[in-house]
Amino acid sequence: MEWIVAEKPVPYPEALAVMDGRVADIIAGRADEAVWLLEHPPLYTAGTSAKPADLVQPDRFRVYQTRRGGQYTYHGPGQRVAYAMLDLNRRGRDVRAYVHNLERWIITSLARFDVQGEIRDGRVGVWVTRPDLARAADGRIREDKIAAIGVRIRRWVAFHGISINVAPDLEHFSGIVPCGIRDHGVTSLRDLGRPVTMADLDQALMQQFAAVFGPADDRAQGA
């Protein structure tokens, strides 16, 4: 298992090329699993379920089509992206369980900063309730999204992964309907009053990974 931390923003096409190469090497047995921690320049990505109407400002940032699952999402400075290239042949061939583990990884990492992340049926990603802000029009307490999930599987090797808002410009999300969800907002650790650095979050992600995913097991081949 290799951890890679990028020191400067990585262009999206470069990230795709690196992931494709690493996944091919994992499939061929030439490379270990890896988690790549990085930031991107400001951009939008369109997953396989993206709807054209959800791209509100098509000329604002570069839009990249991608074959990961999900809809439109934003990436940019201040957001930690974790591309997890993991061999599900050795971790169990269960995509639903894998996504659940990604959710747990985010939630347990956020808990290190006294942030209670939650999941919601029918809404992908991790959410936080906002009792400090106005209630929704129907009287519900407002909920904002703090982390997104999008994965792709090739020959049971998973890639793409998660993104967690540390301190991005939240106004940049207004150019899309994030993940196709119109009735909720987005937030970040900084917006929640948590002065967390990228290094702080990276440490939490590294510490919580083993607790959530455990070691890879060659005996899981073909499971």
Side-chain angles (χ1 to χ4, degrees):
M1 178 72 195
E2 181 180 9
W3 289 88
I4 306 164
V5 182
E7 296 183 356
K8 59 183 180 180
V10 178
Y12 195 72
E14 178 182 329
L16 292 181
V18 170
M19 278 196 290
D20 281 342
R22 185 65 177 242
V23 167
D25 286 343
I26 293 171
I27 291 170
R30 296 188 297 262
D32 294 329
E33 298 176 310
V35 176
W36 189 13
L37 302 172
L38 55 84
E39 295 172 79
H40 284 304
L43 58 93
Y44 297 131
T45 65
T48 55
S49 301
K51 301 174 182 178
D54 289 343
L55 183 58
V56 180
Q57 298 176 16
D59 299 323
R60 184 168 190 181
F61 298 126
R62 181 74 180 269
V63 181
Y64 293 94
Q65 301 295 320
T66 178
R67 287 176 286 180
R68 62 155 175 80
Q71 302 188 42
Y72 282 106
T73 192
Y74 166 77
H75 295 310
Q79 180 192 76
R80 178 51 94 210
V81 175
Y83 287 135
M85 292 159 274
L86 303 180
D87 189 353
L88 301 188
N89 292 295
R90 304 172 62 200
R91 295 180 177 275
R93 294 178 177 179
D94 187 331
V95 176
R96 183 171 296 180
Y98 176 61
V99 172
H100 177 64
N101 281 339
L102 291 175
E103 293 169 340
R104 288 178 54 216
W105 186 29
I106 295 167
I107 289 168
T108 57
S109 297
L110 292 176
R112 299 292 298 271
F113 310 107
D114 195 29
V115 172
Q116 182 176 341
E118 301 174 346
I119 58 174
R120 293 288 184 267
D121 289 340
R123 284 193 253 144
V124 179
V126 174
W127 301 78
V128 295
T129 57
R130 302 298 303 272
D132 55 314
L133 298 179
R135 290 175 179 265
D138 61 2
R140 292 178 291 111
I141 294 177
R142 176 172 157 177
E143 296 178 345
D144 288 346
K145 190 171 190 176
I146 193 168
I149 297 172
V151 301
R152 187 179 174 200
I153 310 292
R154 180 186 299 158
R155 293 180 62 181
W156 289 106
V157 173
F159 56 120
H160 292 272
I162 66 174
S163 60
I164 301 175
N165 297 331
V166 178
D169 185 339
L170 295 178
E171 201 277 329
H172 287 179
F173 285 87
S174 65
I176 58 172
V177 178
C179 300
I181 300 171
R182 296 179 178 275
D183 298 329
H184 300 276
V186 292
T187 189
S188 67
L189 289 167
R190 181 173 64 183
D191 187 46
L192 295 172
R194 306 300 195 273
V196 178
T197 67
M198 286 292 177
D200 293 334
L201 180 60
D202 290 350
Q203 184 178 32
L205 289 168
M206 292 177 186
Q207 290 174 344
Q208 295 303 312
F209 182 88
V212 172
F213 289 95
D217 185 352
D218 289 331
R219 293 174 298 177
Q221 180 75 33

